[in-house]
Amino acid sequence: MKTTQSPDWARIQHLYPVNREMIWLNNCGTTPANTDTLHAVNEYLQGYAAHGGQTDVRRYPSVKKAIRSILAELLGVDTEELSLIHHTNEGIGFISLGLRLKAGDRILLLENEYPSNIYPWEHWKEKGVSISFVPMAETPEAFLENLKSTITPDVRVVSLSAVHWCTGMPFPLEEIGSLLSEKGIEFVLDGAQGVGLLPVRPREMGISYMAFPAWKWLLGPLGLGVLYVAKEKLEGLSFPFKGTGSVVNDEVYLPYREELKGTDRYEISTVNFIDWVYFQSTLEMLHTIGFHNSMERIYELADYLSDKLRDAGWKLASDHFPDFKTGIVVAEKDGLSMENTVSSLKKNGVMCALRLGRVRFSPHIYLAKEQLDRVVELLSR
């Protein structure tokens, strides 16, 4: 049930033990666990210790149903279009290996993209498919123009991110999806930096395939991810990955089966069930808070930090796209070494990241403005 009241951010802050140790501002990298999730995982482990696979605590079907139902509502897709995998790289790899391209086709990727959306495509070069890159830009509008000018008649696939991982700039997904749809080009999305931060709606945005991890804006565990395949696209994908969990009635091992499941055919074999329990816990928390409330809180904290940094003389990447919301604050200051700045912050308990020569901060809902004040105070030294 979604809350109809303003969330109790102080209570959520108290749920995160990391707040008593450091200021974690790398949430578009990885996210820490909260005590409610620790309780859920411990409860399951105690049940498993006592009854093994027969435990009634957090049964497989109900956990899977809960995760897919919440994600389907968030993304505006059917539950059957979602599969729980390991990470973005795996999901993009499934799609890349499944697409039926031919020599002479071209794939467009993003300049300075994260490797998870680069390496899975490189095998196509051996098959005569070329790979080109869309030049980066400082604004979403300029990037769209770059994309338009890079598309040639031989382009069959465009695979981009929802948000640039080094600048925090969101890409104009609806406009991109409309453009690619008109040209009959497949749109693949790396949703790692976007899902849970932005309203990513694949069907409304013309996205046929998407992969993203659990451990960023959705506060889930490391080593768990999600794959989306539009149901009308599924049977057109080659599937060279058939495993025990890929077939209908997979709990019956003999006789061998030919009929594949829906998108969850990509849950090839035994799953990371403890991670599923963890993820169910964080998704249910975010669902109760309301994903819109969560997003708005992240924007509020990011805007607060941005204002403080501007006042202190820092230059922000987001100033190039002021009309677009982002929860990722990327900053630099003349006369300072950003590498030394990140190192110094970490020594003082502030976790952030160095990206393309700038400092990247990414707050989440469990942080307080007083912690951001502390960061700016440290930077002023």
Side-chain angles (χ1 to χ4, degrees), residues 50-245:
H51 301 286
Q54 300 303 307
T55 179
D56 288 329
V57 180
R58 306 273 180 166
R59 298 289 292 174
Y60 174 92
S62 62
V63 172
K64 180 174 181 176
K65 180 179 179 180
I67 292 173
R68 294 212 297 178
S69 294
I70 294 173
L71 288 174
E73 181 181 339
L74 171 65
L75 300 171
V77 301
D78 293 342
T79 56
E80 292 75 17
E81 296 177 303
L82 300 172
S83 179
L84 299 177
I85 55 171
H86 295 100
H87 39 67
T88 306
N89 201 120
E90 181 179 74
I92 299 293
F94 284 150
I95 300 308
S96 177
L97 290 166
L99 290 171
R100 302 176 188 274
L101 304 180
K102 63 182 186 302
D105 290 343
R106 184 179 300 274
I107 299 167
L108 285 186
L109 305 175
L110 175 65
E111 180 185 40
N112 290 327
E113 175 66 286
Y114 192 77
S116 291
N117 200 14
I118 298 293
Y119 297 155
W121 300 102
E122 291 181 341
H123 71 97
W124 281 110
K125 292 187 288 187
E126 301 174 357
K127 304 172 180 68
V129 175
S130 58
I131 295 176
S132 299
F133 295 88
V134 184
M136 189 47 197
E138 291 187 331
T139 69
E141 298 91 344
F143 177 79
L144 184 60
E145 293 305 312
N146 286 351
L147 176 62
K148 290 178 180 178
S149 65
T150 311
I151 292 176
T152 51
D154 57 350
V155 172
R156 298 290 177 266
V157 178
V158 172
S159 189
L160 304 172
S161 289
V163 176
H164 198 289
W165 65 293
C166 293
T167 68
M169 188 186 83
F171 293 102
L173 299 180
E174 288 190 36
E175 292 88 344
I176 292 171
S178 178
L179 170 68
L180 299 183
S181 178
E182 290 174 4
K183 296 181 177 294
I185 298 172
E186 297 281 19
F187 188 8
V188 183
L189 188 73
D190 175 345
Q193 302 289 355
V195 176
L197 174 66
L198 303 173
V200 178
R201 310 282 286 185
R203 291 212 159 269
E204 298 171 17
M205 296 171 170
I207 300 163
S208 296
Y209 315 98
M210 177 172 67
F212 56 92
W215 61 83
K216 297 182 187 290
W217 301 113
L218 298 176
L219 298 171
L222 287 168
L224 184 64
V226 181
L227 175 66
Y228 161 78
V229 178
K231 55 189 173 185
E232 65 273 15
K233 297 286 186 177
L234 182 61
E235 297 310 319
L237 291 174
S238 173
F239 185 69
F241 314 102
K242 187 176 179 182
T244 306

Side-chain angles (χ1 to χ4, degrees), residues 9-10 13 19 23 25 297 301 304-305 308 350 366-378:
W9 300 122
Q13 183 182 17
N19 284 326
I23 301 174
L25 278 168
R297 177 61 174 174
L301 293 171
Y304 182 86
L305 177 58
K308 292 286 186 178
V350 178
Y366 61 87
L367 288 163
K369 291 178 180 178
E370 292 78 10
Q371 291 170 293
L372 304 183
D373 288 337
R374 170 65 176 160
V375 173
V376 177
E377 177 190 347
L378 287 168

